[in-house]
Amino acid sequence: MKIVPVATFDCVVFGATGDLTLRKLLPALYYRFRDGQIPPDSRILAAARSNLDDAEYRHRAIDALHKHIARTDWDEPVARRFLSRVFYVRVDGASIEGWEKLEQLLAEHSDRVRVFYMATSPDLYGPISRNIGAHGVATKNSRVVLEKPIGHDLKSAREINDQVAEVFSEAQTFRIDHYLGKETVQNLLALRFANSIFERLWNTDVIDHVQITVAETVGVEGRGGYYDRSGALRDMVQNHLLQLLCLLALDSPISMDANSVRDEKLKVLRALRPIRPHEVATLTVRGQYGPGAVEGKPVPGYLEDLGANYPSRTETFVALKAEIHTWRWANVPFYVRTGKRLPQKVSEIVIQFRAVPFSIFPIEAADLQPNRLIIRLQPEEGMRLEMMTKEPGPGGLRLRPTALDISFEKAFATRYPDSYERLLMDTVRGNATLFMRRDEVEAAWAWVEPIIEAWESRAESPRLYPAGSWGPTSAIALIERDRRTWHEEVA
Ligand code: BG6
């Protein structure tokens, strides 16, 4: 694969001592540097409030790289060269302290592409942007990257977007949803629009329903402070799962250009039928994990993970039934679920086709199963089309389900880059196709907000489910009421 270097850039990362920077951003930048995509003069200006110098920060950075980079990908001289391009700046992004040093450093290369990456809590995006504006460091060639979640609800999302917009234009604003950077998620567009066989079947005439599952085995992993204020609906559904739903449901964009793709996603979000307060109990399920066992090991429940000595009503599991009010998707429910401490880490999409209208085969020959397309986003990326075929042999006519199976890993035998690698390079290139536009983020909040409000106004708590199960039993009831079942294969 030919790697085209991006322009030389300076990337200022606010929140440089935080988990996201150390676990995701620095390793992603290391890989792009190693592969020659980042020009050697580029700089990473790591900005945070701690009192550190370059050497101390680089020490932390190297520990993080060792931890998050596969040993086979480690190249000592490259790592040293990479770290020599990382500079620490002590600055309080939200107050006036420490900005002179950042100004001086940036002034050394005033014509470079500048990326301001907000790896901080969303309530700082506005204050930091204002400081960037006040110190005159936002040039024409600058972009700002905002991590999800943008805000806590529609109102706070609008406020943050307004504050950032005082300094950066919409074209300079890159709202990250790292699911959009996953290879297999981008592949959904290739699958749908680079093949003629699927698009003609992609509608209510042929599709019975769609399932989207993003299951994790991990718990809250030391992020309890953030997570307990957020919960699965805000942390996963409002962004990652709705973005997947958009890519599955959108009409053909006129091109791959950023606004064409985002216009089509926005249409899907706007066509989502609002879930009314009285429907929340039947169309949504929220759960919280209790103690149990995952992958054979006992694990504590959410409250213990949180270290909380107070009850929490935060959900760690959500299942819901969404409907898209368009001709294409009339009567095709989208069942969506996500949760922590489920039995397997798996993200997959199931397209369940309608049953054949009539069977010409004798009952004893076949229990005809409708076709099913399973798109595995992670792990073991691949795709499987399940179909009925005749069992070979002369012993009479017998049909059975067989699968056309593609493993992307085997087909391409390549390392799947982490989504941040692609997204960081796209910000430098100024390509916003895989980023969320302001109106998309706000439309997604507008759809989930009535659900949050209805949950908050009800006295009952989320249903408990044992860690290591597929969520509360009401999630099974949600789909079985419609005479359908979740697709589950435990490895
Ligand atoms: C993040 C959420 O956006 O996505 C986390 O905040 C979640 O709670 C993570 O664990 C899942 O991402 P991935 O790439 O591991 O599927």
Side-chain angles (χ1 to χ4, degrees), residues 129-377:
S129 298
R130 282 179 172 161
N131 263 327
I132 291 175
H135 290 86
V137 288
T139 54
K140 263 208 325 284
N141 243 348
S142 295
R143 307 105 170 65
V144 65
V145 186
L146 310 179
E147 260 296 327
K148 67 126 268 251
I150 314 281
H152 194 69
D153 52 18
L154 181 57
K155 184 167 167 280
S156 54
R158 281 195 177 133
E159 280 166 9
I160 292 172
N161 283 329
D162 284 343
Q163 289 168 5
V164 173
E166 290 168 17
V167 181
F168 296 100
S169 68
E170 181 60 30
Q172 291 178 304
T173 308
F174 287 69
R175 296 178 191 81
I176 281 218
D177 180 316
H178 79 277
Y179 265 60
L180 295 178
K182 289 185 190 280
E183 288 288 329
T184 38
V185 173
Q186 294 167 54
N187 204 18
L188 292 175
L189 289 179
L191 177 75
R192 291 193 53 202
F193 302 114
N195 297 290
S196 57
I197 53 173
F198 293 116
E199 194 44 27
R200 284 168 177 70
L201 306 179
W202 218 254
N203 59 54
T204 182
D205 296 342
V206 194
I207 294 180
D208 175 77
H209 75 276
V210 175
Q211 298 181 16
I212 305 175
T213 297
V214 175
E216 299 186 272
T217 49
V218 291
V220 285
E221 308 289 289
R223 295 162 72 226
Y226 151 75
Y227 195 87
D228 201 47
R229 278 179 280 118
S230 174
L233 191 69
R234 289 185 172 98
D235 184 50
M236 298 292 288
V237 178
Q238 188 271 345
N239 34 78
H240 304 326
L241 280 96
L242 285 185
Q243 287 291 320
L244 291 179
L245 178 143
C246 285
L247 292 178
L248 286 170
L250 52 68
D251 285 341
S252 170
I254 55 171
S255 74
M256 275 299 283
D257 131 289
N259 277 331
S260 305
V261 174
R262 299 189 298 180
D263 286 346
E264 295 306 329
K265 286 197 288 166
L266 182 66
K267 272 159 59 183
V268 176
L269 290 166
R270 294 209 169 132
L272 278 172
R273 185 174 83 73
I275 296 186
R276 297 186 201 95
H278 70 276
E279 296 171 320
V280 165
T282 44
L283 298 183
T284 74
V285 171
R286 58 176 176 154
Q288 186 186 83
Y289 63 86
V294 176
E295 291 162 343
K297 291 198 196 87
V299 291
Y302 176 67
L303 294 181
E304 203 178 318
D305 271 349
L306 211 56
N309 49 7
Y310 50 86
S312 165
R313 293 178 64 203
T314 300
E315 79 287 354
T316 60
F317 176 96
V318 176
L320 56 84
K321 176 178 169 182
E323 290 166 79
I324 302 171
H325 272 185
T326 57
W327 278 30
R328 188 197 277 267
W329 296 118
N331 301 318
V332 183
F334 282 65
Y335 299 96
V336 165
R337 66 180 169 162
T338 183
K340 297 211 181 273
R341 290 281 192 232
L342 300 187
Q344 264 183 290
K345 175 163 176 72
V346 57
S347 299
E348 70 173 21
I349 290 159
V350 176
I351 311 288
Q352 173 80 55
F353 294 95
R354 296 198 186 278
V356 292
F358 170 76
S359 172
I360 59 168
F361 301 101
I363 287 183
E364 59 284 8
D367 170 17
L368 289 187
Q369 310 281 325
N371 300 119
R372 197 154 57 169
L373 177 66
I374 298 163
I375 306 168
R376 184 66 92 100
L377 305 176

Side-chain angles (χ1 to χ4, degrees), residues 82-154:
F82 171 70
L83 285 170
S84 73
R85 305 310 301 155
V86 177
F87 303 88
Y88 185 75
V89 192
R90 186 180 176 199
V91 57
D92 182 351
S95 86
I96 47 166
E97 270 164 56
W99 281 82
E100 304 74 34
K101 165 116 186 267
L102 187 59
E103 275 179 58
Q104 277 163 17
L105 280 170
L106 286 171
E108 290 169 15
H109 299 286
S110 55
D111 51 348
R112 278 189 181 174
V113 169
R114 271 181 202 168
V115 178
F116 294 98
Y117 199 115
M118 311 273 185
T120 64
S121 132
D123 50 331
L124 297 179
Y125 299 170
I128 297 177
S129 298
R130 282 179 172 161
N131 263 327
I132 291 175
H135 290 86
V137 288
T139 54
K140 263 208 325 284
N141 243 348
S142 295
R143 307 105 170 65
V144 65
V145 186
L146 310 179
E147 260 296 327
K148 67 126 268 251
I150 314 281
H152 194 69
D153 52 18
L154 181 57

Side-chain angles (χ1 to χ4, degrees), residues 27 59-71 74 76 79:
H59 203 69
R60 285 194 194 190
I62 200 157
D63 283 351
L65 293 179
H66 273 304
K67 213 152 127 202
H68 300 292
I69 286 175
R71 206 181 293 181
W74 186 255
E76 189 70 30

